[in-house]
Amino acid sequence: LLAWAIFLTCIGLGLLHHSLMRPYWKQHRVISQPAQQVFTPPPLPKRTPLENAVIVILCRNRDLKQMLHSLASFESRFNSRHGYPYVFLNNEPFSEHFQANIRHLLEQYSGASAAFGLVPTEHWSYPAHIDQERAAAVRQQMAQAKVLYGESESYRFMCRYMAGFLHQHPLLQPYRYYWRLEPGVTFT
């Protein structure tokens, strides 16, 4: 309670800079934007032995802003103490801009490595035995029934990939365990 009172007094007297009260995810920016203030995380604590594990992220280039938010949150709450590597997967090649921004953020926190890979086309498409016209009609029915992601063909491909093929990706073969991380999530 005393610490809280001191904190509020410091704010009232203007002894704390307003940037210290900004949420951590707002302190990170895309590299191409001008810097207003660069956040420097505290020194890393001693690392604990790691499991043979990796953080897996299935996202797209357009998810960069949300991904930076998720990574900043995850790194500050967990991975800055452990340094687990990351594997980013996409059904299209990641842009250099995306990769540079991700690596830049990771260097600021844990220094964890990041690998970027492609989902094979045969894993992110219809199997040969699927009637695509019927699948389109069913998606249309789900959209009319307001089923969440009902109309999304890409969502169906993602579910199929995550349920059946993710563990076969070559970038995941060296690992025994994986955790999934999504764009746009916050860890508290």
Side-chain angles (χ1 to χ4, degrees), residues 17-177:
H17 193 268
H18 66 86
S19 66
L20 295 175
M21 295 178 282
R22 293 177 62 197
Y24 61 88
W25 63 85
K26 290 187 179 178
Q27 296 177 5
H28 296 285
R29 59 183 173 75
V30 175
I31 292 174
S32 62
Q33 295 176 346
Q36 293 178 351
Q37 179 177 351
V38 177
F39 174 74
T40 305
L44 296 175
K46 195 171 187 177
R47 296 239 166 123
T48 57
L50 298 179
E51 292 295 329
N52 183 14
V54 66
I55 313 301
V56 177
I57 301 167
L58 185 63
C59 65
R60 296 199 164 127
N61 288 307
R62 67 178 181 237
D63 298 328
L64 177 61
K65 188 173 181 180
Q66 291 179 321
M67 199 65 255
L68 291 174
H69 167 81
S70 295
L71 284 175
S73 178
F74 185 71
E75 285 283 317
S76 69
R77 299 290 187 246
F78 175 77
N79 207 39
S80 62
R81 293 184 304 276
H82 304 287
Y84 281 99
Y86 291 88
V87 169
F88 290 83
L89 299 174
N90 190 352
N91 63 319
E92 299 172 357
F94 284 106
S95 69
E96 289 299 319
H97 177 74
F98 182 94
Q99 293 180 44
N101 276 276
I102 295 297
R103 287 191 171 111
H104 179 72
L105 185 133
L106 293 177
E107 288 170 7
Q108 290 180 336
Y109 282 97
S110 65
S113 66
F116 299 88
L118 276 172
V119 174
T121 304
E122 61 273 12
H123 293 173
W124 197 271
S125 59
Y126 288 106
H129 66 279
I130 297 295
D131 179 353
Q132 293 185 31
E133 290 177 12
R134 183 172 175 215
V138 170
R139 282 195 315 278
Q140 198 66 328
Q141 290 172 353
M142 288 190 290
Q144 291 172 353
K146 302 202 183 308
V147 173
L148 186 63
Y149 304 116
E151 75 286 353
S152 175
E153 182 178 58
S154 181
Y155 183 76
R156 301 288 169 275
F157 293 156
M158 185 270 302
C159 291
R160 178 174 179 255
Y161 181 71
M162 296 305 274
F165 298 110
L166 176 66
H167 69 281
Q168 296 176 12
H169 197 281
L171 290 175
L172 298 180
Q173 295 312 301
Y175 302 101
R176 187 168 177 195
Y177 305 103

